[in-house]
């Protein structure tokens, strides 16, 4: 089937004149069509065509517009680089689009910041300027189709529609049966992002080398001092995770080819060597400890050495499945031959410390405000572990959090009785007692309880793993991708019933631009008749919009109608 690309909006007579005049549906079509062509050329091994199409895409207005929209709507939009510049107004966004020219482009140094890690250490991040972020986002549009088309089947980090839960599900497939491999190499690369060899990246990453070289050699400013960057791709850049994935692509397929050539395909298959990778963390299964020590590990060491990387001696181990191992916040272990996946002790302890710290730091705020602070953290942690055996961990965490909240409540009223404190801060909800909740009067004058999220009430549901061969830039996977995205997005919505109904009524499309809504794009709940003008909260007065479309509707006074279901 031939794929035709729409003419870029920059070549049209009705090209946009400002940020709010952009036809985002057409922009997305332009970019997606070119990405499909790049992916097709990659699968066919036509690398000269890949290079030409990538160059063409990164010179289009559509790619520039999408790149600017991404960096001005993501979580880092309020974090400036060394120049202190932010793009908050439509005028600055439109001006930025006109500044994005590869010819003569020279990136600024990164701003070094440090964020705390779970083990008490600090993780260094390199924050690019807004312009450099947008340029990275634009070139990423051209790199991703190649990266996705050449990635290992069981690589799950920083890829479209893939998650830690997919990696966990693949390990369950590899380890759960009686005949499965019994030994696991749990590996960790020492400072992966900071140590990747620049020469290897420039030689092997399929993108414009001159641009990549400038990013890698831009340097960074740490505590006012300029430092040159000789190795690595600093964490914090939009394109850095994909560069790391490109670096480690071939870990799975290369190891399989090596064992097949050395031992024969049939014998290699019997060794049950399976690789599951998430970013720079990976585990490899094997039928024996000797195979992992004598065959697999030496090959991995050589594979990484070419890229300037080494295994961490501290975090790399070979263990038996009966002993168990931790991976991505879960513990994998067989109990009398049955594989159970549970939240790891380390992950649970880090979660409790975070919750306890919030409670300790907010001794004087209102109970309702404390609940609003804690609920997103409780809900997020519980939903992360919802595909595994987590009920016992939920109950244990609930008990510990209850004790911390009880101390918080008693401290506020040292002269009051235990019964008085209980009646003020804890209530009965259905068949549950001692629920940390506060009565709140809603808009219609009714009193309702705002309660702390119940960890043990989280439904345990097995995760549906993505197919390893799925490629978001291959048209034959389009229907599968649509179904997968819709299932996952609807499962994660808080107000599930209302949002599901609106999402289905709108066929998964934004009511303003008619483009797809995904977890990546985000969505806003928009009232057709504004509430300040008397509009109700009824579903007939609400639609789902992209965040950017929502801004346009309000800024330009546009009228949105309820789509016909």
């Amino acid at each position: 089937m031939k794929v035709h690309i729409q003419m870029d909006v920059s070549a049209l007579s009705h090209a946009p004149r400002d940020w709010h005049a952009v036809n985002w549906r057409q922009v997305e079509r332009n970019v997606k069509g070119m990405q499909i062509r790049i992916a097709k050329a990659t699968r066919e091994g036509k690398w000269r065509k890949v290079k030409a199409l990538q160059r063409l895409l990164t010179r289009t207005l559509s790619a520039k517009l999408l790149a600017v929209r991404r960096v001005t709507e993501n979580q880092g939009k309020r974090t400036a680089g060394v120049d202190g510049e932010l793009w908050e107004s439509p005028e600055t966004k439109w001006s930025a689009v006109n500044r994005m020219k590869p010819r003569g482009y020279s990136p600024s140094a990164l701003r070094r910041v440090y964020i705390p890690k779970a083990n008490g250490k600090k993780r260094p991040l390199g924050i690019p300027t807004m312009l450099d972020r947008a340029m990275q986002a634009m070139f990423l549009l051209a790199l991703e189709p190649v990266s996705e088309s050449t990635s290992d089947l069981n690589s799950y980090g920083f890829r479209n529609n893939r998650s830690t839960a997919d990696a966990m599900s693949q390990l369950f497939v590899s380890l759960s049966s009686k005949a499965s491999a019994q030994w696991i190499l749990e590996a960790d690369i020492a400072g992966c992002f900071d140590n990747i060899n620049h020469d290897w990246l420039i030689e092997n990453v399929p993108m414009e080398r001159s641009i990549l070289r400038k990013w890698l050699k831009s340097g960074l400013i740490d505590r006012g001092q300029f430092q040159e960057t000789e190795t690595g791709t600093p964490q914090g850049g939009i394109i850095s995770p994909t560069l790391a994935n490109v670096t480690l692509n071939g870990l799975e397929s290369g190891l399989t080819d090596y064992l097949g050539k050395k031992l024969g395909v049939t014998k290699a298959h019997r060794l049950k060597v399976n690789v599951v990778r998430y970013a720079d963390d990976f585990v490899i299964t094997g039928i024996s400890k000797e195979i992992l020590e004598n065959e697999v590990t030496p090959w991995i060491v050589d594979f990484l050495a070419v890229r300037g990387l080494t295994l961490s001696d501290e975090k790399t181990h070979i263990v038996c499945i009966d002993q168990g191992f931790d991976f991505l916040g879960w513990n994998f272990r067989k109990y009398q031959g049955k594989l159970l996946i549970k939240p790891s002790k380390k992950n649970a302890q880090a979660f409790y410390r975070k919750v306890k710290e919030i409670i300790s730091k907010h001794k004087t705020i209102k109970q309702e405000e404390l609940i609003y602070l804690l609920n997103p953290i409780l809900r997020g942690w519980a939903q992360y572990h919802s595909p595994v055996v987590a009920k016992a961990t939920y109950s244990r965490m609930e008990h510990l959090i209850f004790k911390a909240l009880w101390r918080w409540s008693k401290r506020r009223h040292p002269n009051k009785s235990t019964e008085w404190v209980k009646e003020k801060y804890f209530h009965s909800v259905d068949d549950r007692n001692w629920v940390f909740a506060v009565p709140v009067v809603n808009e219609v004058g009714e009193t309702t309880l705002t309660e702390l999220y119940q960890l043990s009430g989280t439904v345990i549901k097995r995760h549906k793993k993505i197919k390893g061969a799925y490629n978001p830039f291959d048209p034959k996977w389009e229907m599968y991708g649509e179904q997968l995205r819709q299932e996952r997005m609807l499962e994660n919505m808080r107000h599930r019933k209302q949002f599901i109904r609106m999402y289905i009524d709108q066929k998964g499309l934004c009511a303003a631009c008619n483009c797809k809504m995904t977890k990546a794009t985000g969505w806003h709940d928009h009232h057709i008749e504004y509430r300040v003008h008397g509009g109700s909260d009824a579903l007939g007065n609400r639609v789902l919009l992209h965040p950017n479309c929502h801004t346009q509707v309000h800024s330009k006074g546009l009228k949105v109608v309820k789509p016909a279901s």
Side-chain angles (χ1 to χ4, degrees), residues 6-58:
Q6 299 285 337
M7 186 180 298
D8 186 70
V9 291
S10 61
L12 300 178
S13 58
H14 53 279
R17 299 178 302 277
D18 58 59
W19 186 254
H20 288 317
V22 176
N23 182 342
W24 290 107
R25 186 180 185 186
Q26 184 65 51
V27 165
E28 290 185 357
R29 280 182 174 179
N30 293 341
V31 172
K32 189 71 173 181
M34 187 68 82
Q35 288 178 318
I36 289 172
R37 291 179 63 187
I38 293 172
K40 182 174 184 291
T42 302
R43 293 193 302 274
E44 295 173 350
K46 298 178 180 178
W47 294 106
R48 292 183 64 181
K49 186 175 181 180
V50 168
K51 184 177 180 180
L53 290 172
Q54 286 182 315
R55 183 176 179 83
L56 180 60
L57 175 58
T58 54

Side-chain angles (χ1 to χ4, degrees), residues 10 114 127 134 136 210 233 251 364 442 452 464-465 532 548:
S10 61
Y114 296 89
I127 308 299
Q136 288 188 19
S210 60
T233 169
L251 188 66
T364 60
N442 62 21
L452 192 72
K464 181 180 178 181
K465 190 186 84 69
V532 295
N548 186 70

Side-chain angles (χ1 to χ4, degrees), residues 494-524:
R494 296 181 191 176
H495 309 292
R496 185 171 297 147
K497 291 182 180 179
Q498 291 186 354
F499 276 101
I500 286 177
R501 183 171 172 181
M502 285 192 288
Y503 183 84
I504 293 176
D505 286 346
Q506 296 177 208
K507 298 180 176 61
L509 304 177
C510 169
C513 70
N514 210 30
C515 293
K516 299 171 188 174
M517 291 181 294
T518 67
K519 187 177 180 180
T521 64
W523 56 85
H524 283 178

Side-chain angles (χ1 to χ4, degrees), residues 60-122:
T60 63
L61 178 59
S62 293
K64 296 175 182 178
L65 287 166
L66 274 188
V68 172
R69 188 175 76 170
R70 174 172 179 174
V71 302
T72 55
E73 291 185 3
N74 61 16
Q75 292 183 345
K77 63 184 179 182
R78 294 186 179 90
T79 304
V82 292
D83 59 359
E85 182 179 334
L86 294 176
W87 299 340
E88 298 178 316
S89 68
E91 291 76 21
T92 54
K93 295 176 185 178
W94 186 252
S95 174
V97 171
N98 296 322
R99 291 164 54 193
M100 294 175 62
K101 299 176 181 179
R103 177 174 292 183
Y105 165 68
S106 180
S108 302
L110 304 169
R111 181 168 70 90
R112 175 69 91 197
V113 298
Y114 296 89
I115 59 172
K117 297 170 64 175
N119 59 8
K121 298 180 181 179
K122 291 188 175 182

Side-chain angles (χ1 to χ4, degrees), residues 156-223:
Y156 297 100
F158 306 113
R159 295 181 61 192
N160 291 331
N161 294 314
R162 295 176 188 248
S163 65
T164 54
D166 290 306
M168 176 272 297
S169 298
Q170 179 58 35
L171 274 176
F172 181 84
V173 171
S174 302
L175 296 170
S176 58
S177 72
K178 290 183 179 179
S180 295
Q182 298 297 306
W183 291 89
I184 295 93
L185 167 65
E186 47 174 332
D188 182 85
I189 300 172
C192 178
F193 282 85
D194 295 328
N195 294 309
I196 301 175
N197 183 279
H198 281 182
D199 292 336
W200 190 93
L201 283 171
I202 294 168
E203 185 66 28
N204 291 277
V205 175
M207 64 168 289
E208 290 187 37
R209 294 182 180 180
S210 60
I211 298 293
L212 178 58
R213 182 181 289 106
K214 289 178 181 180
W215 284 334
L216 297 176
K217 302 298 184 182
S218 63
L220 56 88
I221 295 179
D222 186 5
R223 301 180 182 90

